[in-house]
Amino acid sequence: MRETLTDRFRFLRAFVANPRQVGAILPTSRWAVRDMLDLADVARADLVVELGAGTGVQTGEILARLAPSARLVSLEIDPDLAKLLDERYDDPRLQVVCDSAENLDVHLGGKRADVLVSALPYTSFEAGLRRRVLDLLPVALAPGGVLLVI
């Protein structure tokens, strides 16, 4: 329970510091994340990409479903939240990247995601940034891949 309250405070602090970047005052609930992930076959994915990892609610659920040989690339633009993810999940399948989603292609090494999970606040983005990120998503997704947006 304490970790949940601490995470909520961290997320709220990130929102207050940069509301257009974070876009919500609280992280997505575990139940919503589980329902969303049920729409994709994460267990069969070789590469899963997470945009807007936040405090790791989605990250933990993805890792729980991810195959032992698969890889998860989680992008989080807030340095404090990215550091939290790196410290929280000691898993060799996870690569935490502190960067903007618009730079995703730099971190995939030419690979394309079988599942791409996005918790980005698109409506809060400046129009140019929103367009750049949205244009990148189909390019980052493998043929037959699944894009999940929450």
Side-chain angles (χ1 to χ4, degrees):
M1 181 68 163
R2 178 160 168 71
E3 185 175 282
T4 302
L5 290 175
T6 302
D7 283 355
R8 288 180 179 175
F9 177 73
R10 284 181 176 136
F11 200 89
L12 178 61
R13 186 173 57 213
F15 172 80
V16 169
N18 208 332
R20 291 182 64 94
Q21 181 177 292
V22 177
I25 61 169
L26 293 173
T28 306
S29 76
R30 290 192 192 287
W31 298 279
V33 170
R34 288 175 183 153
D35 287 347
M36 176 185 64
L37 291 176
D38 285 345
L39 299 172
D41 195 354
V42 174
R44 289 187 174 208
D46 289 322
L47 175 61
V48 176
V49 172
E50 176 186 24
L51 303 177
T55 58
V57 175
Q58 295 149 182
T59 311
E61 292 297 326
I62 293 168
L63 288 170
R65 297 171 186 228
L66 201 62
S69 62
R71 182 173 153 223
L72 170 60
V73 177
S74 294
L75 270 78
E76 174 51 53
I77 198 167
D78 183 283
D80 293 332
L81 295 178
K83 183 178 183 226
L84 170 71
L85 291 169
D86 224 8
E87 292 170 352
R88 178 169 287 166
Y89 297 106
D90 183 24
D91 191 314
R93 302 171 298 171
L94 174 63
Q95 175 188 354
V96 176
V97 176
C98 184
D99 199 357
S100 171
E102 68 185 314
N103 300 320
L104 174 61
D105 56 333
V106 173
H107 304 289
L108 295 185
K111 304 285 185 192
R112 296 172 79 185
D114 300 301
V115 178
L116 200 157
V117 179
S118 178
L120 297 176
Y122 295 102
T123 57
S124 296
F125 286 172
E126 171 269 319
L129 175 60
R130 181 173 46 247
R131 175 62 24 217
R132 289 190 302 276
V133 173
L134 290 173
D135 286 347
L136 180 68
L137 297 182
V139 176
L141 200 59
V146 176
L147 171 63
L148 302 172
V149 178
I150 193 161

